[in-house]
Amino acid sequence: MKYEAVIGLEIHVELQTRSKIFCGCSTAFGAEPNTNCCPGCLGLPGTLPVLNRRAVEYAVRAALALNCRVQGKSVFARKNYFYPDLPKAYQISQNEQPLAWGGYLEVDFPTGSRRVNLQRVHLEEEAGKLIHAGDSIMSAAYSLVDYNRAGVPLLEIVTAPELHSGREARLFLEELRTLLLYTGVSDVKMEEGSLRCDANISLRPAGSAGLGIRTEVKNLNSFRAVEQALNYEAERQAAILADGGELFTATCHWDDNRKATVVMRKKEEAADYRYFPDPDLPPLILERSYIEAMREQLPELPRERRQRLRESFNLSDDEAAMLTATRELADFFEAAAESYRDYRNLVNWVQGDLVYRLRESGKRADEISPAMLVELLELLDAGEINRPVAKELLAEMVKSGVSPRKLVQQRGLGKISDQESLLPLVEQVIAENPDAVENYRKGKEKALAFLVGKVMAMTRGRADPQELNRLFREKL
Ligand code: ADP
Ligand code: ZN
Ligand code: MG
């Protein structure tokens, strides 16, 4: 039988507020362990939570960007369980009455563009971070715990089971990441854990409607891992079914070294978290006017921007996607395009050398001046510098922030066309290449190009070829 994979994602996003969701402790990443903690985030008795206004604002903004129905009333509940990363032995989360219901994200899949529906979006607090000895939960003899992260605001986003391959899950997550970057609510870095994803996956006979028995895959630390793990897990399940075996509900761990999922625990029944409304927190009430004001303030989102740029600059889909990958890059491109009219050339430089140099130096596009790139392209267009020099200057400009014109002056990188500089080189090349000289004198025009090429190489392309041609003809 042919099977189809069915995948639903549970995504956690750390909101980039300065302080935690229920206390004033800092959320700064990378601080000395257990220094950003107070009695409140350690769960000591007698402390009371106070909701962070900014965390709510970010959550509402993200939910609106995801087309969700943001609720006028939502309720914080205690999710009770015991685990060392949870000092209070309960996590404040939202259960029966989440911040938002529904919503969707439109994604361009290889099979075409499609809406992926969401089930809900809610606010909760982060747990602490366990650091397992030897870095593997499977073999650690002990674990350390850092409560700095406990209480960082988290947004949970749950999709409907509407994705059908590892590739689709990855594309969905990448689109989600771009969207959240545009809204500015999180830095959304999978590698640093500010974007995390657990994936539920089951199989069903291709073309049928129901849902099969699922496993939940954890430890997905990169987009690539999401794709690989889900493809692996779909095949693992299919192999069991093909063998006449039976599947059971389970939690799996993705082993990124072995490139395999490992069943960690069989789920006998749903965990009972004894949810109840947190008596220390009143319901979160949001006025319609507040929600509508937040909707008004949403920036132009990636999909609209991609489309607008594609149309106004006549770009291919890939070019538009590349230029709008981040809001900063799209802003950069549009600012440069205001004063530089050769769009084709601009697109090529931005998506080629500029993006490469930004990545190399770890900078964002808003740390570079669009006017400087325009200056560089104008120097190139005017013939004051050649292409290899322009590429070199771009790298230098990104690294140091010094303007291309200044760099040309400082380093004498401009075109060489004066006779005093060129003549000695011409004479040297004539002396060193008697065969070519002879050939030229016998009427072989090609030999002249060879000689000119020699001087070009000596000057790393900076000599003016027309002037060289003239000088060689004169000398020979
Ligand atoms: P839980 O109670 O374990 O949190 P939910 O019903 O809330 O489970 O679903 C969690 C995620 O699992 C959602 O993204 C949902 O789309 C997905 N999901 C639920 N059932 C299945 C299934 N049979 N196959 C694949 N994904 C599923
Ligand atoms: Zn605190
Ligand atoms: Mg759930």
Side-chain angles (χ1 to χ4, degrees):
M1 191 182 311
K2 236 184 111 50
Y3 291 101
E4 162 184 58
V6 176
I7 297 166
L9 304 177
E10 287 177 281
I11 297 139
H12 287 99
V13 181
E14 284 185 0
L15 300 176
Q16 55 187 355
T17 53
R18 265 181 307 206
S19 57
K20 294 187 180 179
I21 184 169
F22 296 120
C23 67
C25 291
S26 164
T27 56
F29 183 80
E32 183 78 5
N34 299 306
T35 53
N36 292 337
C37 300
C38 69
C41 49
L42 291 179
L44 298 183
T47 56
L48 286 171
V50 179
L51 182 58
N52 180 334
R53 178 186 299 267
R54 186 53 66 84
V56 174
E57 192 181 309
Y58 283 178
V60 170
R61 200 191 294 169
L64 291 171
L66 287 164
N67 312 291
C68 299
R69 301 188 302 278
V70 175
Q71 302 298 294
K73 177 181 178 185
S74 58
V75 174
F76 287 101
R78 292 187 181 179
K79 179 181 183 179
N80 296 281
Y81 63 95
F82 182 76
Y83 204 62
D85 64 4
L86 197 65
K88 299 196 293 281
Y90 63 83
Q91 177 195 29
I92 303 178
S93 180
Q94 297 184 313
N95 183 40
E96 280 177 10
Q97 291 183 262
L99 180 84
W101 290 109
Y104 62 86
L105 181 64
E106 183 120 18
V107 186
D108 292 324
F109 295 120
T111 49
S113 144
R114 194 175 85 228
R115 274 185 189 185
V116 176
N117 288 297
L118 306 179
Q119 294 178 334
R120 56 185 284 152
V121 170
H122 74 239
L123 255 177
E124 60 187 31
E125 59 178 342
E126 268 276 26
K129 191 177 167 68
L130 286 174
I131 298 134
H132 305 294
D135 268 356
S136 162
I137 190 171
M138 311 299 272
S139 60
Y142 63 91
S143 301
L144 302 169
V145 63
D146 177 3
Y147 290 126
N148 282 348
R149 207 182 67 179
V152 167
L154 270 191
L155 196 68
E156 178 172 319
I157 301 165
V158 184
T159 78
E162 294 184 358
L163 297 158
H164 299 293
S165 65
R167 177 109 204 115
E168 284 198 1
R170 178 189 183 144
L171 290 169
F172 172 88
L173 274 179
E174 287 177 344
E175 185 68 28
L176 177 68
R177 175 172 193 275
T178 309
L179 180 82
L180 292 172
L181 277 178
Y182 269 61
T183 60
V185 303
S186 172
D187 61 2
V188 244
K189 290 184 180 161
M190 256 199 132
E191 282 69 15
E192 284 179 15
S194 55
L195 170 65
R196 299 198 297 279
C197 166
D198 295 335
N200 291 269
I201 173 167
S202 61
L203 297 183
R204 69 181 169 202
S208 71
L211 289 176
I213 291 173
R214 64 170 145 147
T215 55
E216 182 176 11
V217 186
K218 293 185 176 288
N219 194 44
L220 303 173
N221 297 322
S222 66
F223 293 107
R224 196 171 44 104
V226 169
E227 178 168 359
Q228 290 176 336
L230 287 169
N231 288 341
Y232 180 94
E233 182 60 15
E235 277 179 34
R236 189 189 70 84
Q237 292 183 9
I240 292 174
L241 292 177
D243 257 15
E246 223 177 289
L247 294 171
F248 51 85
T249 310
T251 302
C252 299
H253 180 90
W254 170 246
D255 184 332
D256 204 44
N257 295 319
R258 289 180 39 223
K259 303 287 175 219
T261 53
V262 185
V263 176
M264 294 245 295
R265 52 182 186 270
K266 195 167 162 173
K267 274 195 184 168
E268 301 292 342
E269 57 209 50
D272 182 358
Y273 294 113
R274 305 268 159 163
Y275 280 104
F276 65 87
D278 192 309
D280 293 336
L281 285 161
L284 172 59
I285 305 294
L286 301 176
E287 304 284 346
R288 268 296 116 191
S289 56
Y290 168 85
I291 298 171
E292 291 317 310
M294 298 290 288
R295 199 194 301 279
E296 286 294 302
Q297 287 166 29
L298 281 179
E300 186 182 27
L301 296 174
R303 215 181 163 73
E304 308 157 36
R305 190 151 198 191
R306 225 174 282 153
Q307 177 141 5
R308 184 169 60 77
L309 290 196
R310 188 167 45 215
E311 282 163 12
S312 11
F313 297 98
N314 203 2
L315 305 175
S316 72
D317 289 354
D318 284 350
E319 287 167 343
M322 169 67 127
L323 291 176
T324 54
T326 64
R327 208 164 118 186
E328 292 81 13
L329 188 65
D331 288 346
F332 180 98
F333 172 74
E334 287 201 82
E338 295 252 311
S339 54
Y340 187 78
R341 290 294 150 196
D342 185 353
Y343 300 146
R344 281 309 338 145
N345 196 33
L346 183 62
V347 170
N348 290 337
W349 278 87
V350 169
Q351 68 170 1
D353 282 65
L354 182 77
V355 165
Y356 173 74
R357 293 303 176 187
L358 286 173
R359 198 175 306 143
E360 181 186 63
S361 60
K363 289 200 172 163
R364 283 197 324 256
D366 60 350
E367 296 173 76
I368 312 299
S369 142
M372 281 194 193
L373 179 64
V374 172
E375 185 178 300
L376 181 80
L377 296 184
E378 284 170 352
L379 286 170
L380 179 61
D381 292 345
E384 290 182 44
I385 55 175
N386 64 29
R387 227 179 141 73
V389 168
K391 282 171 172 279
E392 221 174 282
L393 288 182
L394 178 68
E396 190 53 41
M397 174 192 116
V398 169
K399 216 186 310 164
S400 65
V402 178
S403 93
R405 196 172 287 282
K406 227 180 231 134
L407 287 169
V408 169
Q409 287 162 1
Q410 276 173 8
R411 310 190 171 185
L413 286 172
K415 195 195 268 183
I416 307 172
S417 42
D418 61 305
Q419 206 162 321
E420 297 98 282
S421 312
L422 292 180
L423 206 51
L425 299 175
V426 167
E427 281 165 354
Q428 184 188 339
V429 165
I430 288 175
E432 286 172 359
N433 297 278
D435 290 355
V437 168
E438 171 119 13
N439 284 337
Y440 175 73
R441 289 200 169 115
K442 282 191 197 140
K444 280 198 183 161
E445 274 295 310
K446 262 196 188 154
L448 181 62
F450 172 82
L451 294 168
V452 169
K454 285 276 167 202
V455 183
M456 293 303 283
M458 289 162 79
T459 57
R460 296 184 54 213
R462 290 171 46 224
D464 179 350
Q466 273 170 5
E467 186 60 13
L468 281 179
N469 266 299
R470 199 185 62 76
L471 287 175
F472 273 112
R473 282 185 205 283
E474 197 176 280
K475 281 277 144 198
L476 301 174

